[in-house]
Amino acid sequence: MLFYLKKIWADKNTQYPNSREEIVSIQDAANSRGLEIIPLVQTFGHLEFVLKHEVFRDLREVDYCLGTLNPHRDGGDKLVQDMLQQIMKLHPKSTSLHIGADEVYMLGLGDESKQWLSVPGRSVHQMFLSHVIKVAKGIQESSPNLKLIMWDDMLRSMSPETIKESGLVGLVQPMLWDYSPTLDVDNTVMLMERYTSAGMLQQWAASSFKGSTTVHTCVTSTQRHVDNHLQWLKVASSLSADIELQGIALTGWQRYDHLSVLCELMPVGLPSLASCLQTLVHGGFTEEAQKKVVKTLGTVDVGDTERLSSRTSCSFAGAKLAELIVKLTSLLESTELRHFQNNMFVRGWFTPYHKQKKTVSPLIVQQIKTQAKMILDAVESQVQEVRGEMCLLYLDSTVQEWVVQHVTPVLEPLHNLLRDTETVLNEMGLCTESIS
């Protein structure tokens, strides 16, 4: 059984990357449960965590795209191989390595790439394949028995002949990703058959149990992700005998990329993960599969706050935090909060025109202020509860980031409106308690 680990590097807003001791601890925990860790190291696209630094700026394909490596610089090759060697040194028991290579945006638009492409017969496809092959051969020089996996999306528009003639076959195994609850089964099977005709018989699938919904989603929808796995089960049952499906990676996103906001936190996604795993084990989201999840975690859906809050011995680390985040998110998404500035009192008696001309009704302004403050106080109370529980599991920097990213933008318009009411009442000599 394989434990799929998407390698987490130092986060962009913290100075606390995983220590060697923490990595060893994770490995020990996995080994004790019969799991093998497969590290993932990005080697072409999604390199923002490296290329954002000034010292590596000249290794970008184009200066304004922080994610894509220039495949023509020797320094880029050395950087990638150094990272791979460092990671594998810390994972001596791993027999497989994922080299990423997905979403290589802007490839071919750099000056050196344009010069390379000016030679007749060359293409961006060949440029991509050449770099991946170089990466694969480089790491296999020191680890000849290491199995290599790569994301498949950059291969999808290539013909089987292009893939076969490149020399890629036999070096890496493609991992097809699709996180949609309405995954197109027929097209996915056809794609896998095309890879097979190119000689890539050993293939992987990739689903998701959190993330992949919207970039700012805070509460995981179990049903959405279970549906994704049900579609992948249909794909698996439709494959020809020639395709050797190696397994499925259940991905859980921390971010869409290194520079985006945080996705759902892990405690919020655990019921979805358990439900998706049991769906695969049972061949469907059967009654038995759901019973197994409920027995272990107390619920199959983190949105079921009634069942989550009434948990007894059936619990999990972060269950209280998950419950609080669901309740806070519900409040943040409420119509009363989101559309407060469109209510009849604000739109009717406290428009920009009223404030500019100073023709306002102090009675209504005070009413607006009272209502806005009541909502903000209720939200702030819940935010403090979330902060307190989150601090038990996350660094202060992560807690602060989550609040600033997911709470502050929603409350800011209401805070501004509250300050406006205070300013107007002050100017009218009707100052009440100050507003923070």
Side-chain angles (χ1 to χ4, degrees):
M1 186 176 183
L2 299 178
F3 177 70
Y4 184 81
L5 173 67
K6 189 166 186 176
K7 178 60 189 168
I8 304 298
W9 289 80
D11 209 347
K12 66 187 179 78
N13 292 323
T14 181
Q15 298 299 313
Y16 306 100
N18 291 336
S19 67
R20 286 177 171 81
E21 293 74 20
E22 287 171 333
I23 292 174
V24 170
S25 177
I26 293 172
Q27 291 171 336
D28 289 343
N31 291 335
S32 69
R33 291 163 175 80
L35 304 176
E36 178 185 338
I37 293 178
I38 303 178
L40 187 155
V41 182
Q42 291 290 359
T43 58
F44 209 168
H46 285 298
L47 280 168
E48 294 93 346
F49 68 97
V50 175
L51 300 182
K52 68 178 182 181
H53 297 292
E54 189 65 28
V55 67
F56 298 120
R57 184 170 182 170
D58 65 336
L59 298 181
R60 301 174 191 168
E61 170 70 343
V62 291
D63 191 52
Y64 55 86
C65 179
L66 276 61
T68 299
L69 186 73
N70 180 336
H72 310 287
R73 298 278 177 92
D74 291 339
D77 294 335
K78 183 179 185 307
L79 171 67
V80 168
Q81 290 301 326
D82 284 350
M83 289 194 301
L84 293 173
Q85 295 295 339
Q86 288 175 22
I87 293 301
M88 293 318 300
K89 187 176 180 180
L90 287 171
H91 296 79
K93 295 182 180 180
S94 293
T95 62
S96 300
L97 169 69
H98 198 309
I99 60 172
D102 60 318
E103 298 180 334
V104 188
Y105 301 129
M106 305 297 170
L107 182 61
L109 298 184
D111 291 339
E112 289 169 87
S113 288
K114 289 178 180 177
Q115 184 177 354
W116 189 89
L117 289 168
S118 67
V119 176
R122 289 180 174 176
S123 68
V124 174
H125 286 164
Q126 292 173 334
M127 184 187 302
F128 171 81
L129 291 166
S130 176
H131 176 77
V132 172
I133 290 169
K134 187 188 300 183
V135 168
K137 289 183 175 180
I139 188 63
Q140 287 190 337
E141 284 182 8
S142 58
S143 304
N145 297 320
L146 194 63
K147 297 176 184 176
L148 300 181
I149 304 166
M150 67 174 286
W151 296 118
D152 83 298
D153 54 284
M154 296 296 290
L155 305 175
R156 293 175 188 174
S157 60
M158 300 183 192
S159 67
E161 291 72 29
T162 297
I163 297 173
K164 186 182 300 183
E165 293 169 3
S166 70
L168 183 69
V169 178
L171 287 176
V172 299
Q173 299 170 359
M175 179 176 282
L176 292 80
W177 58 263
D178 194 319
Y179 314 119
S180 171
T182 57
L183 177 157
D184 190 319
V185 173
D186 291 338
N187 281 346
T188 303
V189 171
M190 286 174 54
L191 181 59
M192 297 179 80
E193 296 288 358
R194 277 175 47 207
Y195 291 151
T196 301
S197 67
M200 307 180 87
L201 306 183
Q202 296 175 317
Q203 301 176 34
W204 295 75
S207 59
S208 73
F209 70 88
K210 79 180 187 77
S212 73
T213 304
T214 66
V215 70
H216 53 78
T217 295
C218 291
V219 177
T220 306
S221 167
T222 292
Q223 191 61 57
R224 174 186 174 85
H225 295 285
V226 164
D227 287 345
N228 175 234
H229 289 79
L230 292 174
Q231 294 300 97
W232 272 115
L233 285 172
K234 293 178 184 177
V235 170
S237 66
S238 303
L239 297 178
S240 68
D242 293 334
I243 298 176
E244 302 172 20
L245 187 61
Q246 302 298 293
I248 181 169
L250 285 74
T251 68
W253 305 17
Q254 282 305 106
R255 305 174 187 275
Y256 271 55
D257 65 33
H258 182 69
L259 300 175
S260 67
V261 302
L262 288 164
C263 294
E264 308 103 295
L265 299 180
M266 192 63 183
V268 184
L270 276 176
S272 174
L273 172 58
S275 298
C276 293
L277 283 168
Q278 288 301 317
T279 296
L280 295 177
V281 169
H282 289 83
F285 199 37
T286 63
E287 184 177 348
E288 182 61 27
Q290 294 178 48
K291 284 181 179 179
K292 291 271 287 188
V293 177
V294 171
K295 181 179 179 181
T296 305
L297 301 182
T299 181
V300 298
D301 193 335
V302 74
D304 185 0
T305 54
E306 183 176 348
R307 174 174 282 179
L308 194 62
S309 61
S310 65
R311 62 196 180 282
T312 54
S313 59
C314 298
S315 187
F316 57 92
K320 179 63 176 178
L321 174 59
E323 176 191 347
L324 291 173
I325 286 178
V326 171
K327 290 180 177 179
L328 174 59
T329 301
S330 178
L331 183 54
L332 291 173
E333 294 177 350
S334 66
T335 301
E336 185 180 23
L337 175 55
R338 289 278 182 172
H339 302 289
F340 187 86
Q341 294 188 87
N342 287 323
N343 74 36
M344 63 175 290
F345 297 107
V346 178
R347 291 291 300 272
W349 285 272
F350 202 57
T351 66
Y353 179 86
H354 288 97
K355 287 180 276 189
Q356 179 186 357
K357 297 298 184 180
K358 303 185 186 305
T359 55
V360 299
S361 166
L363 177 63
I364 291 182
V365 173
Q366 182 61 53
Q367 185 173 347
I368 293 171
K369 176 185 172 182
T370 300
Q371 291 178 341
K373 194 170 188 310
M374 185 170 58
I375 293 174
L376 285 171
D377 287 347
V379 175
E380 294 293 352
S381 176
Q382 290 199 22
V383 169
Q384 291 310 309
E385 282 193 82
V386 169
R387 277 184 180 274
E389 201 66 31
M390 199 180 293
C391 283
L392 301 177
L393 298 172
Y394 294 94
L395 296 169
D396 290 343
S397 58
T398 301
V399 176
Q400 181 64 12
E401 180 186 359
W402 189 89
V403 171
V404 171
Q405 288 177 345
H406 294 292
V407 179
T408 301
V410 180
L411 299 187
E412 190 171 11
L414 202 53
H415 275 298
N416 291 339
L417 180 65
L418 202 52
R419 292 189 187 96
D420 286 347
T421 63
E422 180 73 12
T423 298
V424 168
L425 292 173
N426 280 339
E427 291 174 348
M428 300 179 72
L430 296 169
C431 180
T432 58
E433 60 181 358
S434 63
I435 299 165
S436 59

